[in-house]
Amino acid sequence: MGWIFSLLVMLKLLSLSRSNPDSQERIQELETRLSRLEEIVEQLEPSFVKRYGLIKRCPVPVIEHGFAQCNNEKDLKPKTRCRVVCNAGYIATPGRDESRCMEGGEWSYELKCEVPVVVISGGEINDGSGDSSVEVIDLERRKKCNVDIPDMTSQRTFHNLLYHPDGPEILA
């Protein structure tokens, strides 16, 4: 909302500069006053919290490629929990799928969605035997995700890989 106020002031300043060539001093004065006003507004919130016991709430999380689903969607007080719901084609980033509103009005984690990296391992070969190869498929084709993974020590058919979110490993 602060940016709307700033935009309106800037538009007013632009209109002043077009109508009066000697308005540069006036513009400078208005910019100084605007800066002072912004400082005063920034100091109001902590003052209200301290003086009147107001609770600093968290803003609704904004998530690229998804949205937040909170246990209390109207009043995001401290201890409110939100989880990410990602758009089709995206998954929640491990460790960034849930967040809690902290006492200061900030979230414990930034909620995030990402394009998944698919790891394919093993499988059935034409003759019915297993395969030991491992491939990484990056659906976004990121340059930083150019990974070579060594083959598994044994051949497998129809099995799963488990991603371990607290560590960099994939369990086969």
Side-chain angles (χ1 to χ4, degrees):
M1 186 149 154
W3 67 270
I4 295 173
F5 178 73
S6 296
L7 179 64
L8 291 173
V9 169
M10 293 308 287
L11 289 173
K12 183 66 176 169
L13 291 174
L14 286 173
S15 68
L16 287 175
S17 65
R18 288 189 190 135
S19 62
N20 184 356
D22 297 324
S23 63
Q24 292 302 321
E25 288 179 25
R26 178 75 175 138
I27 291 173
Q28 185 62 39
E29 177 189 343
L30 289 173
E31 286 176 349
T32 303
R33 290 175 64 189
L34 178 61
S35 295
R36 278 189 261 150
L37 181 62
E38 286 174 341
E39 289 173 15
I40 291 169
V41 169
E42 284 181 21
Q43 294 170 3
L44 281 177
E45 184 179 29
S47 172
F48 287 160
V49 169
K50 185 176 180 179
R51 184 177 284 177
Y52 303 110
L54 299 178
I55 298 172
K56 198 167 185 182
R57 289 162 169 74
C58 288
V60 175
V62 177
I63 303 157
E64 187 174 6
H65 309 296
F67 62 92
Q69 189 173 51
C70 304
N71 59 0
N72 186 355
E73 295 188 22
K74 297 198 185 256
D75 189 16
L76 302 179
K77 292 186 217 176
K79 299 183 183 175
T80 299
R81 292 191 179 276
C82 291
R83 68 179 190 86
V84 68
V85 177
C86 297
N87 296 340
Y90 293 87
I91 62 169
T93 301
R96 304 290 182 162
D97 58 340
E98 187 173 301
S99 190
R100 185 171 61 92
C101 180
M102 307 299 282
E103 291 295 328
E106 299 291 328
W107 290 101
S108 57
Y109 296 102
E110 175 188 4
L111 299 174
K112 199 169 182 184
C113 294
E114 63 183 33
V115 173
V117 173
V118 180
V119 179
I120 301 173
S121 66
E124 188 174 337
I125 302 178
N126 291 340
D127 62 3
S129 64
D131 184 20
S132 63
S133 66
V134 179
E135 298 177 56
V136 175
I137 300 174
D138 179 8
L139 302 174
E140 265 190 341
R141 298 184 183 146
R142 295 169 278 216
K143 291 181 182 177
K144 66 181 178 182
C145 189
N146 187 3
V147 180
D148 289 325
I149 297 179
D151 288 349
M152 294 183 291
T153 55
S154 63
Q155 295 182 341
R156 299 201 180 180
T157 58
F158 306 114
H159 70 283
N160 294 325
L161 291 176
L162 300 174
Y163 173 69
H164 188 272
D166 294 330
E169 62 266 349
I170 296 174
L171 308 174

